[in-house]
Amino acid sequence: MTLAGADSPSEHLQLAAFTAMAAVVFIWLGRRQRRTGHSLLAPNETVRVGNRLIPPPPPSRGRRIAGTGWIVVGSIFVLPAVFNFVAAIHALVG
């Protein structure tokens, strides 16, 4: 369902909620990756192998740049959320 295909205010609010949740997830992921320098699948924890502790690899610059990319993707999702919310208010008011 696209913005043009949503007819009722409830459909607009559902689309606004969905895109806002996607924006929050992507921005959270990007901020976490920029802060730690590690992806979500590779946390920065020390691992015990046998009777030795193996430290995590150092944070990489590429992962920090990728975190910025995730923040940009999340920011792109904010705009449709705002448009759908305004469309729902517009449909309710007039």
Side-chain angles (χ1 to χ4, degrees):
M1 176 180 328
T2 63
L3 180 62
D7 294 326
S8 68
S10 65
E11 290 175 344
H12 284 293
L13 288 175
Q14 287 174 354
L15 286 170
F18 176 74
T19 54
M21 286 188 307
V24 167
V25 167
F26 286 130
I27 290 172
W28 170 79
L29 177 67
R31 288 183 57 148
R32 182 181 183 281
Q33 193 163 345
R34 274 186 61 195
R35 185 180 65 244
T36 63
H38 296 281
S39 70
L40 188 61
L41 299 176
N44 55 351
E45 298 174 353
T46 303
V47 179
R48 179 179 293 276
V49 177
N51 42 337
R52 289 183 55 187
L53 289 176
I54 299 178
S60 68
R61 185 168 185 250
R63 294 267 187 205
R64 292 183 194 273
I65 293 172
T68 303
W70 284 116
I71 291 173
V72 169
V73 169
S75 299
I76 291 171
F77 273 92
V78 170
L79 194 59
V82 171
F83 283 154
N84 277 305
F85 186 70
V86 169
I89 291 174
H90 186 281
L92 286 173
V93 172

